[in-house]
Amino acid sequence: AQSVTQLGSHVSVSEGALVLLRCNYSSSVPPYLFWYVQYPNQGLQLLLKYTSAATLVKGINGFEAEFKKSETSFHLTKPSAHMSDAAEYFCAVIPKQGGKLIFGQGTELSVKP
Amino acid sequence: EPEVTQTPSHQVTQMGQEVILRCVPISNHLYFYWYRQILGQKVEFLVSFYNNEISEKSEIFDDQFSVERPDGSNFTLKIRSTKLEDSAMYFCASSAVSGGYEQFFGPGTRLTVL
């Protein structure tokens, strides 16, 4: 069965510092991987997606993620954190088109001034 | 830009009452989904719907839940007899038939069962 593990339920960084949010997946078939962001009291917004094209995926707001099959990872990074990046981030996988999204537990990102 | 909409944004109900949560998916999408997020927990899949029938459902989606596409634009989730543990944020999502696998989410309905 497919699953997603996000290491670290809370991550705190200083403004301007590197953001690294970790995601590992288990999948018996080539996965389709996503990062979603949820700002307080809002819905889920897609940050970026991997659908078997380039392994380094660029998303909105300066975020990017690299698909590493050998490590079964899809970590999210941003070179320089901004206060507005404070939110909950969810990694998710879909096994097939039209199938359900399977979410990780989420990582809450705090950005200190 | 097209978006998924949901109404109401917040619903308060008494335990045992029926509630209907409404969603308008993106117009050219054909896959529809409901997810829920209990406060402080991860987002959980409830049900997916394609070609006017349920294509997949989770164990959460028991006989108290039903979904319907009553017309060409709305997609509804009904909970027949609400329980305290149904209190959660409910998200509707939709995706296109082809390309990207991306699911677009609505802003959610916060359901509070008293």
Side-chain angles (χ1 to χ4, degrees):
Chain A
Q2 307 248 351
S3 67
V4 175
T5 302
Q6 290 182 242
L7 296 175
S9 57
H10 291 90
V11 170
S12 181
V13 301
S14 297
E15 192 172 21
L18 171 72
V19 175
L20 170 61
L21 304 183
R22 300 177 186 274
C23 173
N24 288 87
Y25 68 91
S26 67
S27 173
S28 57
V29 296
Y32 297 90
L33 294 156
F34 304 82
W35 276 98
Y36 283 85
V37 60
Q38 184 180 31
Y39 297 103
N41 300 313
Q42 294 189 28
L44 296 161
Q45 180 182 6
L46 182 71
L47 269 181
L48 49 79
K49 61 186 178 185
Y50 168 76
T51 55
S52 73
T55 57
L56 182 61
V57 180
K58 294 188 184 298
I60 61 171
N61 302 337
F63 284 93
E64 61 183 37
E66 186 172 8
F67 172 69
K68 291 187 177 180
K69 185 177 179 180
S70 61
E71 298 178 8
T72 60
S73 68
F74 191 56
H75 301 331
L76 181 71
T77 61
K78 181 174 180 177
S80 176
H82 192 272
M83 296 296 290
S84 61
D85 294 327
E88 185 95 20
Y89 291 80
F90 292 95
C91 183
V93 63
I94 283 182
K96 62 178 181 178
Q97 184 175 30
K100 63 186 180 188
L101 273 165
I102 299 167
F103 285 88
Q105 292 283 1
T107 298
E108 183 179 356
L109 176 66
S110 302
V111 182
K112 299 175 291 187
Chain B
E1 186 168 329
E3 58 182 17
V4 177
T5 59
Q6 291 184 243
T7 54
S9 57
H10 193 183
Q11 174 95 43
V12 180
T13 189
Q14 295 291 326
M15 189 170 56
Q17 295 296 304
E18 175 183 287
V19 294
I20 297 177
L21 309 183
R22 302 179 192 282
C23 168
V24 179
I26 294 172
S27 62
N28 63 342
H29 286 183
L30 296 180
Y31 291 93
F32 312 116
Y33 313 84
W34 284 102
Y35 294 85
R36 78 172 185 190
Q37 183 183 31
I38 295 172
L39 187 64
Q41 298 185 24
K42 69 176 179 181
V43 180
E44 301 173 290
F45 167 78
L46 290 177
V47 64
S48 59
F49 192 86
Y50 172 70
N51 200 24
N52 285 318
E53 61 183 20
I54 291 173
S55 50
E56 188 176 1
K57 60 182 181 179
S58 71
E59 62 262 22
I60 302 168
F61 194 87
D62 61 21
D63 292 344
Q64 292 300 312
F65 291 88
S66 62
V67 289
E68 193 177 32
R69 187 149 164 85
D71 53 42
S73 60
N74 289 283
F75 179 52
T76 62
L77 174 69
K78 181 193 291 186
I79 309 175
R80 289 189 182 81
S81 178
T82 50
K83 307 183 184 96
L84 295 176
E85 55 264 36
D86 293 328
S87 295
M89 182 73 91
Y90 288 80
F91 293 106
C92 174
S94 68
S95 66
V97 175
S98 62
Y101 292 63
E102 179 180 345
Q103 294 183 19
F104 293 81
F105 282 77
T109 292
R110 179 165 297 284
L111 175 65
T112 302
V113 182
L114 302 176

